[in-house]
Amino acid sequence: MLHIIKIGGNVIDKESDLKHFLSELAQIPEPKILVHGGGKLATDLSQRLGIESQMIDGRRVTDAETLKIVSMVYAGWINKHVVAQLQALGASAIGLSGADADSIRATKRPPKNGIDYGWVGDVSPENVNTTHINGLLEAGLLPVFCPITHDGQGQLLNTNADTIAASLAKALSQTQAVKLIYCFEKQGVLSDAKNEDSVISFIDTATYADLKTRGVVSGGMIPKLDNAFDALAAGVHTVVIGQAQDIKILATANNTKGTSIRK
Amino acid sequence: MLHIIKIGGNVIDKESDLKHFLSELAQIPEPKILVHGGGKLATDLSQRLGIESQMIDGRRVTDAETLKIVSMVYAGWINKHVVAQLQALGASAIGLSGADADSIRATKRPPKNGIDYGWVGDVSPENVNTTHINGLLEAGLLPVFCPITHDGQGQLLNTNADTIAASLAKALSQTQAVKLIYCFEKQGVLSDAKNEDSVISFIDTATYADLKTRGVVSGGMIPKLDNAFDALAAGVHTVVIGQAQDIKILATANNTKGTSIRK
């Protein structure tokens, strides 16, 4: 089963966490794809360069200068740093942006209600060019995607890593079984937000409806789970939500950690 | 015939030159690999960040901060910018550092005579992993290498683009005919340094000895030509030295521009 694993900035930012995660990842025997987010480095670099980040509703506007910075930080430093570490761990990683091998195209997000997010791209599974990605997997390589894509017209675009992971999973599940693993801060979907140990180990369509009705899941967890069910509807075998440090367990067939989501 | 083409900072730094070069490159029908140098952007970024570049004999010392900057600029911005442009031109490029697919390993240059260049790597043809590079070429992709490699132990290394191009050419010529094209500022090797039109169109071992004896070639041209003959001795079919703007002509079998060097 192909494993598509997404890690966020929280793992990238802490070198010891990243090291531990990568050493566990390298030990997963199945074919896999890693998608990484950005982390604080881009914000730090912008600040050091005196470039003000314009934020709208908590989202960064990607002007030309910011695009250059995120391309440098995500595709340059983070991506190559991760690839070199994986090589040292015996996993032959290959770092990619969506422009590489034309693997993921995106559409520049059009301004809406007067809000222009700039050079931000939206992807969908139809924008994933599976031929070359499957070729890399067949060659035994571990593709590592950074959250930068392109529009096919020469323009790079800043793109959400969660959506990249979901689009890859949906597109690649047309020809193989895919397990999509989202690593985030918590151990999984909690039945009690205040209790880190209250992980719900399994959710399907029926239990999800029940959990929503009873108000057990709410807030930011709803769009996350909606996206998971959306991926399942598009053919993804299983979605798992858990912590990066548990990746080896999350990747096993009967994972004893994290929340598994199936139709 | 596989074409391995190296461009330097002078092409990277001028957007209009780069655009023209890439549009010509995309039209070359043969399989090809592009190797690009760094350009002024890394120096500019260092200055804006207030990081002083320590130079020894005109060469930059790569400390940890500088390594981060060159990785960001070369592997992040320049590499992805070039790849996205090539995609728009219909050439399916894939950007690579030496760490990607473990394609080029390097050895950290040991301090010599008390001079330590820091995180600088030296490559040789034995460090080129031809399996995956040939796989990418067979898949119809155009590998675009930036001058960043790794040591196989997780460490990225700043590496000379000329040496990367030569090492790739030597290693890949073991299984196929390779033409190595070095783009530089002049139209070719000149018989009269003051006359840009005095390009020597062909040099072989005998004529090279003669040119040296008569003092026609001297100075910085000697190591360049020595490297060319070194590549030929290792199995490279032809080395061509010329200008980036002439790339389409330089890549033809009977190039009417540039200097062709054969054994």
mmCIF file of all heavy atoms in Angstrom, chain B residues 216-259:
data_model
loop_
_atom_site.group_PDB
_atom_site.id
_atom_site.type_symbol
_atom_site.label_atom_id
_atom_site.label_comp_id
_atom_site.label_asym_id
_atom_site.label_seq_id
_atom_site.Cartn_x
_atom_site.Cartn_y
_atom_site.Cartn_z
ATOM 1 N N VAL B 216 49.302 31.381 -27.928
ATOM 2 C CA VAL B 216 47.996 31.877 -28.384
ATOM 3 C C VAL B 216 46.954 31.704 -27.274
ATOM 4 O O VAL B 216 46.139 32.587 -27.025
ATOM 5 C CB VAL B 216 47.538 31.155 -29.681
ATOM 6 C CG1 VAL B 216 46.140 31.603 -30.088
ATOM 7 C CG2 VAL B 216 48.541 31.406 -30.805
ATOM 8 N N VAL B 217 46.978 30.544 -26.614
ATOM 9 C CA VAL B 217 46.120 30.405 -25.428
ATOM 10 C C VAL B 217 47.006 30.500 -24.189
ATOM 11 O O VAL B 217 48.109 29.957 -24.160
ATOM 12 C CB VAL B 217 45.292 29.087 -25.418
ATOM 13 C CG1 VAL B 217 44.298 29.058 -26.554
ATOM 14 C CG2 VAL B 217 46.165 27.861 -25.421
ATOM 15 N N SER B 218 46.494 31.203 -23.203
ATOM 16 C CA SER B 218 47.274 31.410 -21.971
ATOM 17 C C SER B 218 46.314 31.755 -20.843
ATOM 18 O O SER B 218 45.103 31.841 -21.044
ATOM 19 C CB SER B 218 48.271 32.544 -22.188
ATOM 20 O OG SER B 218 47.582 33.729 -22.537
ATOM 21 N N GLY B 219 46.860 31.969 -19.675
ATOM 22 C CA GLY B 219 46.074 32.419 -18.522
ATOM 23 C C GLY B 219 44.945 31.469 -18.172
ATOM 24 O O GLY B 219 45.115 30.243 -18.174
ATOM 25 N N GLY B 220 43.753 32.057 -17.924
ATOM 26 C CA GLY B 220 42.590 31.295 -17.466
ATOM 27 C C GLY B 220 42.077 30.285 -18.467
ATOM 28 O O GLY B 220 41.315 29.374 -18.116
ATOM 29 N N MET B 221 42.496 30.430 -19.726
ATOM 30 C CA MET B 221 42.019 29.515 -20.754
ATOM 31 C C MET B 221 42.684 28.134 -20.621
ATOM 32 O O MET B 221 42.087 27.115 -21.012
ATOM 33 C CB MET B 221 42.330 30.124 -22.132
ATOM 34 C CG MET B 221 41.297 29.825 -23.203
ATOM 35 S SD MET B 221 39.596 30.153 -22.743
ATOM 36 C CE MET B 221 38.882 28.570 -23.136
ATOM 37 N N ILE B 222 43.910 28.119 -20.081
ATOM 38 C CA ILE B 222 44.654 26.841 -19.975
ATOM 39 C C ILE B 222 43.925 25.809 -19.090
ATOM 40 O O ILE B 222 43.654 24.698 -19.542
ATOM 41 C CB ILE B 222 46.111 27.079 -19.492
ATOM 42 C CG1 ILE B 222 46.831 28.085 -20.400
ATOM 43 C CG2 ILE B 222 46.861 25.755 -19.338
ATOM 44 C CD1 ILE B 222 47.715 27.516 -21.491
ATOM 45 N N PRO B 223 43.565 26.193 -17.832
ATOM 46 C CA PRO B 223 42.852 25.188 -17.010
ATOM 47 C C PRO B 223 41.522 24.756 -17.647
ATOM 48 O O PRO B 223 41.146 23.597 -17.568
ATOM 49 C CB PRO B 223 42.622 25.895 -15.668
ATOM 50 C CG PRO B 223 42.946 27.337 -15.887
ATOM 51 C CD PRO B 223 43.882 27.414 -17.050
ATOM 52 N N LYS B 224 40.815 25.695 -18.302
ATOM 53 C CA LYS B 224 39.549 25.360 -18.971
ATOM 54 C C LYS B 224 39.788 24.280 -20.032
ATOM 55 O O LYS B 224 39.054 23.292 -20.112
ATOM 56 C CB LYS B 224 38.974 26.608 -19.666
ATOM 57 C CG LYS B 224 37.901 27.346 -18.876
ATOM 58 C CD LYS B 224 37.148 28.306 -19.812
ATOM 59 C CE LYS B 224 35.968 28.990 -19.164
ATOM 60 N NZ LYS B 224 36.083 29.417 -17.783
ATOM 61 N N LEU B 225 40.836 24.469 -20.846
ATOM 62 C CA LEU B 225 41.117 23.510 -21.919
ATOM 63 C C LEU B 225 41.689 22.210 -21.361
ATOM 64 O O LEU B 225 41.382 21.124 -21.865
ATOM 65 C CB LEU B 225 42.049 24.140 -22.956
ATOM 66 C CG LEU B 225 41.355 25.176 -23.864
ATOM 67 C CD1 LEU B 225 42.362 25.992 -24.658
ATOM 68 C CD2 LEU B 225 40.388 24.482 -24.825
ATOM 69 N N ASP B 226 42.497 22.329 -20.311
ATOM 70 C CA ASP B 226 43.007 21.109 -19.666
ATOM 71 C C ASP B 226 41.839 20.249 -19.186
ATOM 72 O O ASP B 226 41.824 19.035 -19.362
ATOM 73 C CB ASP B 226 43.928 21.462 -18.490
ATOM 74 C CG ASP B 226 45.315 21.895 -18.961
ATOM 75 O OD1 ASP B 226 45.639 21.680 -20.157
ATOM 76 O OD2 ASP B 226 46.068 22.462 -18.145
ATOM 77 N N ASN B 227 40.849 20.917 -18.583
ATOM 78 C CA ASN B 227 39.659 20.194 -18.117
ATOM 79 C C ASN B 227 38.912 19.544 -19.271
ATOM 80 O O ASN B 227 38.401 18.437 -19.147
ATOM 81 C CB ASN B 227 38.701 21.141 -17.377
ATOM 82 C CG ASN B 227 39.191 21.450 -15.976
ATOM 83 O OD1 ASN B 227 39.981 20.689 -15.412
ATOM 84 N ND2 ASN B 227 38.741 22.556 -15.418
ATOM 85 N N ALA B 228 38.853 20.246 -20.398
ATOM 86 C CA ALA B 228 38.174 19.708 -21.577
ATOM 87 C C ALA B 228 38.887 18.441 -22.055
ATOM 88 O O ALA B 228 38.243 17.415 -22.318
ATOM 89 C CB ALA B 228 38.140 20.763 -22.679
ATOM 90 N N PHE B 229 40.212 18.480 -22.145
ATOM 91 C CA PHE B 229 40.957 17.305 -22.607
ATOM 92 C C PHE B 229 40.876 16.161 -21.595
ATOM 93 O O PHE B 229 40.867 14.986 -21.964
ATOM 94 C CB PHE B 229 42.415 17.678 -22.938
ATOM 95 C CG PHE B 229 42.533 18.309 -24.293
ATOM 96 C CD1 PHE B 229 42.624 19.687 -24.437
ATOM 97 C CD2 PHE B 229 42.500 17.527 -25.449
ATOM 98 C CE1 PHE B 229 42.691 20.279 -25.699
ATOM 99 C CE2 PHE B 229 42.575 18.102 -26.712
ATOM 100 C CZ PHE B 229 42.669 19.476 -26.836
ATOM 101 N N ASP B 230 40.806 16.548 -20.337
ATOM 102 C CA ASP B 230 40.627 15.571 -19.265
ATOM 103 C C ASP B 230 39.286 14.821 -19.466
ATOM 104 O O ASP B 230 39.215 13.595 -19.349
ATOM 105 C CB ASP B 230 40.630 16.353 -17.942
ATOM 106 C CG ASP B 230 40.608 15.458 -16.737
ATOM 107 O OD1 ASP B 230 41.327 14.446 -16.758
ATOM 108 O OD2 ASP B 230 39.859 15.774 -15.786
ATOM 109 N N ALA B 231 38.229 15.572 -19.817
ATOM 110 C CA ALA B 231 36.906 14.971 -20.069
ATOM 111 C C ALA B 231 36.960 14.050 -21.283
ATOM 112 O O ALA B 231 36.396 12.949 -21.275
ATOM 113 C CB ALA B 231 35.860 16.070 -20.264
ATOM 114 N N LEU B 232 37.655 14.484 -22.335
ATOM 115 C CA LEU B 232 37.779 13.663 -23.545
ATOM 116 C C LEU B 232 38.522 12.360 -23.225
ATOM 117 O O LEU B 232 38.126 11.282 -23.678
ATOM 118 C CB LEU B 232 38.525 14.438 -24.641
ATOM 119 C CG LEU B 232 37.841 15.715 -25.153
ATOM 120 C CD1 LEU B 232 38.759 16.454 -26.117
ATOM 121 C CD2 LEU B 232 36.515 15.410 -25.833
ATOM 122 N N ALA B 233 39.570 12.487 -22.413
ATOM 123 C CA ALA B 233 40.347 11.299 -22.033
ATOM 124 C C ALA B 233 39.482 10.307 -21.265
ATOM 125 O O ALA B 233 39.694 9.094 -21.336
ATOM 126 C CB ALA B 233 41.555 11.709 -21.194
ATOM 127 N N ALA B 234 38.485 10.829 -20.546
ATOM 128 C CA ALA B 234 37.609 9.965 -19.743
ATOM 129 C C ALA B 234 36.445 9.412 -20.568
ATOM 130 O O ALA B 234 35.593 8.702 -20.036
ATOM 131 C CB ALA B 234 37.091 10.733 -18.529
ATOM 132 N N GLY B 235 36.392 9.749 -21.857
ATOM 133 C CA GLY B 235 35.364 9.135 -22.702
ATOM 134 C C GLY B 235 34.332 10.064 -23.286
ATOM 135 O O GLY B 235 33.474 9.631 -24.068
ATOM 136 N N VAL B 236 34.371 11.357 -22.911
ATOM 137 C CA VAL B 236 33.411 12.309 -23.470
ATOM 138 C C VAL B 236 33.721 12.493 -24.960
ATOM 139 O O VAL B 236 34.888 12.585 -25.353
ATOM 140 C CB VAL B 236 33.475 13.655 -22.704
ATOM 141 C CG1 VAL B 236 32.579 14.711 -23.353
ATOM 142 C CG2 VAL B 236 33.090 13.446 -21.246
ATOM 143 N N HIS B 237 32.693 12.522 -25.801
ATOM 144 C CA HIS B 237 32.868 12.574 -27.254
ATOM 145 C C HIS B 237 33.426 13.919 -27.736
ATOM 146 O O HIS B 237 34.410 13.981 -28.463
ATOM 147 C CB HIS B 237 31.526 12.280 -27.938
ATOM 148 C CG HIS B 237 31.595 12.225 -29.431
ATOM 149 N ND1 HIS B 237 31.518 13.353 -30.226
ATOM 150 C CD2 HIS B 237 31.746 11.176 -30.270
ATOM 151 C CE1 HIS B 237 31.611 12.985 -31.500
ATOM 152 N NE2 HIS B 237 31.744 11.673 -31.551
ATOM 153 N N THR B 238 32.763 15.001 -27.330
ATOM 154 C CA THR B 238 33.162 16.351 -27.741
ATOM 155 C C THR B 238 32.925 17.323 -26.594
ATOM 156 O O THR B 238 31.947 17.178 -25.861
ATOM 157 C CB THR B 238 32.286 16.860 -28.933
ATOM 158 O OG1 THR B 238 32.227 15.842 -29.927
ATOM 159 C CG2 THR B 238 32.828 18.140 -29.536
ATOM 160 N N VAL B 239 33.808 18.295 -26.474
ATOM 161 C CA VAL B 239 33.557 19.407 -25.559
ATOM 162 C C VAL B 239 33.444 20.659 -26.416
ATOM 163 O O VAL B 239 34.242 20.858 -27.337
ATOM 164 C CB VAL B 239 34.691 19.578 -24.516
ATOM 165 C CG1 VAL B 239 34.401 20.755 -23.591
ATOM 166 C CG2 VAL B 239 34.891 18.301 -23.706
ATOM 167 N N VAL B 240 32.411 21.472 -26.152
ATOM 168 C CA VAL B 240 32.241 22.712 -26.892
ATOM 169 C C VAL B 240 32.237 23.865 -25.892
ATOM 170 O O VAL B 240 31.632 23.776 -24.821
ATOM 171 C CB VAL B 240 30.925 22.703 -27.715
ATOM 172 C CG1 VAL B 240 30.699 24.045 -28.404
ATOM 173 C CG2 VAL B 240 30.943 21.582 -28.750
ATOM 174 N N ILE B 241 32.972 24.928 -26.239
ATOM 175 C CA ILE B 241 32.994 26.123 -25.397
ATOM 176 C C ILE B 241 32.425 27.259 -26.225
ATOM 177 O O ILE B 241 32.895 27.519 -27.341
ATOM 178 C CB ILE B 241 34.438 26.457 -24.942
ATOM 179 C CG1 ILE B 241 35.021 25.291 -24.127
ATOM 180 C CG2 ILE B 241 34.459 27.735 -24.124
ATOM 181 C CD1 ILE B 241 36.427 25.544 -23.582
ATOM 182 N N GLY B 242 31.406 27.924 -25.706
ATOM 183 C CA GLY B 242 30.797 29.015 -26.465
ATOM 184 C C GLY B 242 29.879 29.852 -25.600
ATOM 185 O O GLY B 242 29.947 29.803 -24.367
ATOM 186 N N GLN B 243 29.027 30.622 -26.268
ATOM 187 C CA GLN B 243 28.151 31.547 -25.565
ATOM 188 C C GLN B 243 26.741 30.976 -25.408
ATOM 189 O O GLN B 243 26.228 30.347 -26.343
ATOM 190 C CB GLN B 243 28.070 32.858 -26.346
ATOM 191 C CG GLN B 243 28.577 34.034 -25.548
ATOM 192 C CD GLN B 243 28.874 35.239 -26.403
ATOM 193 O OE1 GLN B 243 28.652 35.226 -27.611
ATOM 194 N NE2 GLN B 243 29.368 36.285 -25.775
ATOM 195 N N ALA B 244 26.129 31.267 -24.274
ATOM 196 C CA ALA B 244 24.802 30.732 -23.980
ATOM 197 C C ALA B 244 23.789 31.096 -25.062
ATOM 198 O O ALA B 244 22.937 30.290 -25.427
ATOM 199 C CB ALA B 244 24.327 31.237 -22.616
ATOM 200 N N GLN B 245 23.890 32.301 -25.605
ATOM 201 C CA GLN B 245 22.895 32.741 -26.594
ATOM 202 C C GLN B 245 22.970 31.927 -27.893
ATOM 203 O O GLN B 245 22.028 31.930 -28.678
ATOM 204 C CB GLN B 245 23.043 34.228 -26.891
ATOM 205 C CG GLN B 245 24.374 34.581 -27.541
ATOM 206 C CD GLN B 245 24.531 36.087 -27.728
ATOM 207 O OE1 GLN B 245 24.603 36.826 -26.753
ATOM 208 N NE2 GLN B 245 24.558 36.539 -28.961
ATOM 209 N N ASP B 246 24.112 31.234 -28.092
ATOM 210 C CA ASP B 246 24.280 30.415 -29.298
ATOM 211 C C ASP B 246 23.962 28.938 -29.064
ATOM 212 O O ASP B 246 24.307 28.096 -29.890
ATOM 213 C CB ASP B 246 25.725 30.535 -29.810
ATOM 214 C CG ASP B 246 26.081 31.937 -30.241
ATOM 215 O OD1 ASP B 246 25.177 32.639 -30.726
ATOM 216 O OD2 ASP B 246 27.242 32.333 -30.076
ATOM 217 N N ILE B 247 23.323 28.619 -27.941
ATOM 218 C CA ILE B 247 23.184 27.214 -27.525
ATOM 219 C C ILE B 247 22.621 26.307 -28.620
ATOM 220 O O ILE B 247 23.078 25.175 -28.785
ATOM 221 C CB ILE B 247 22.367 27.085 -26.201
ATOM 222 C CG1 ILE B 247 22.389 25.635 -25.706
ATOM 223 C CG2 ILE B 247 20.958 27.605 -26.330
ATOM 224 C CD1 ILE B 247 23.771 25.119 -25.357
ATOM 225 N N LYS B 248 21.639 26.802 -29.383
ATOM 226 C CA LYS B 248 21.022 25.944 -30.401
ATOM 227 C C LYS B 248 22.049 25.550 -31.464
ATOM 228 O O LYS B 248 22.062 24.404 -31.923
ATOM 229 C CB LYS B 248 19.838 26.669 -31.062
ATOM 230 C CG LYS B 248 18.566 25.856 -30.987
ATOM 231 C CD LYS B 248 17.366 26.645 -31.389
ATOM 232 C CE LYS B 248 17.033 26.562 -32.851
ATOM 233 N NZ LYS B 248 15.823 27.375 -33.160
ATOM 234 N N ILE B 249 22.901 26.486 -31.832
ATOM 235 C CA ILE B 249 23.939 26.194 -32.836
ATOM 236 C C ILE B 249 25.037 25.329 -32.208
ATOM 237 O O ILE B 249 25.524 24.386 -32.823
ATOM 238 C CB ILE B 249 24.525 27.507 -33.410
ATOM 239 C CG1 ILE B 249 23.402 28.325 -34.054
ATOM 240 C CG2 ILE B 249 25.638 27.224 -34.413
ATOM 241 C CD1 ILE B 249 23.785 29.745 -34.395
ATOM 242 N N LEU B 250 25.404 25.640 -30.972
ATOM 243 C CA LEU B 250 26.456 24.860 -30.290
ATOM 244 C C LEU B 250 26.053 23.391 -30.169
ATOM 245 O O LEU B 250 26.902 22.504 -30.163
ATOM 246 C CB LEU B 250 26.737 25.433 -28.894
ATOM 247 C CG LEU B 250 27.246 26.872 -28.799
ATOM 248 C CD1 LEU B 250 27.420 27.274 -27.333
ATOM 249 C CD2 LEU B 250 28.563 27.058 -29.547
ATOM 250 N N ALA B 251 24.742 23.160 -30.083
ATOM 251 C CA ALA B 251 24.259 21.786 -29.874
ATOM 252 C C ALA B 251 24.117 21.001 -31.173
ATOM 253 O O ALA B 251 23.850 19.804 -31.133
ATOM 254 C CB ALA B 251 22.927 21.814 -29.128
ATOM 255 N N THR B 252 24.289 21.656 -32.321
ATOM 256 C CA THR B 252 24.179 20.908 -33.574
ATOM 257 C C THR B 252 25.454 20.094 -33.818
ATOM 258 O O THR B 252 26.508 20.393 -33.249
ATOM 259 C CB THR B 252 23.943 21.851 -34.788
ATOM 260 O OG1 THR B 252 24.994 22.828 -34.798
ATOM 261 C CG2 THR B 252 22.605 22.533 -34.698
ATOM 262 N N ALA B 253 25.337 19.093 -34.680
ATOM 263 C CA ALA B 253 26.460 18.164 -34.912
ATOM 264 C C ALA B 253 27.668 18.900 -35.503
ATOM 265 O O ALA B 253 28.803 18.673 -35.096
ATOM 266 C CB ALA B 253 26.017 17.047 -35.831
ATOM 267 N N ASN B 254 27.432 19.818 -36.451
ATOM 268 C CA ASN B 254 28.547 20.566 -37.036
ATOM 269 C C ASN B 254 28.402 22.031 -36.675
ATOM 270 O O ASN B 254 28.157 22.881 -37.527
ATOM 271 C CB ASN B 254 28.577 20.371 -38.552
ATOM 272 C CG ASN B 254 28.897 18.936 -38.906
ATOM 273 O OD1 ASN B 254 29.946 18.424 -38.537
ATOM 274 N ND2 ASN B 254 27.973 18.278 -39.583
ATOM 275 N N ASN B 255 28.579 22.289 -35.370
ATOM 276 C CA ASN B 255 28.340 23.631 -34.875
ATOM 277 C C ASN B 255 29.234 24.670 -35.546
ATOM 278 O O ASN B 255 30.452 24.546 -35.556
ATOM 279 C CB ASN B 255 28.504 23.685 -33.362
ATOM 280 C CG ASN B 255 29.714 22.950 -32.853
ATOM 281 O OD1 ASN B 255 29.810 21.739 -33.011
ATOM 282 N ND2 ASN B 255 30.648 23.673 -32.254
ATOM 283 N N THR B 256 28.580 25.701 -36.105
ATOM 284 C CA THR B 256 29.315 26.774 -36.773
ATOM 285 C C THR B 256 29.703 27.883 -35.804
ATOM 286 O O THR B 256 30.289 28.883 -36.197
ATOM 287 C CB THR B 256 28.443 27.371 -37.899
ATOM 288 O OG1 THR B 256 27.176 27.723 -37.335
ATOM 289 C CG2 THR B 256 28.229 26.360 -39.014
ATOM 290 N N LYS B 257 29.368 27.711 -34.534
ATOM 291 C CA LYS B 257 29.785 28.682 -33.513
ATOM 292 C C LYS B 257 30.522 27.950 -32.400
ATOM 293 O O LYS B 257 30.410 26.733 -32.261
ATOM 294 C CB LYS B 257 28.563 29.411 -32.949
ATOM 295 C CG LYS B 257 27.849 30.290 -33.967
ATOM 296 C CD LYS B 257 27.570 31.658 -33.386
ATOM 297 C CE LYS B 257 26.945 32.593 -34.396
ATOM 298 N NZ LYS B 257 27.013 33.978 -33.937
ATOM 299 N N GLY B 258 31.249 28.695 -31.598
ATOM 300 C CA GLY B 258 31.974 28.119 -30.470
ATOM 301 C C GLY B 258 33.221 27.373 -30.890
ATOM 302 O O GLY B 258 33.525 27.261 -32.081
ATOM 303 N N THR B 259 33.940 26.891 -29.882
ATOM 304 C CA THR B 259 35.132 26.088 -30.125
ATOM 305 C C THR B 259 34.837 24.637 -29.784
ATOM 306 O O THR B 259 34.416 24.336 -28.669
ATOM 307 C CB THR B 259 36.300 26.584 -29.236
ATOM 308 O OG1 THR B 259 36.570 27.952 -29.555
ATOM 309 C CG2 THR B 259 37.550 25.743 -29.449
#
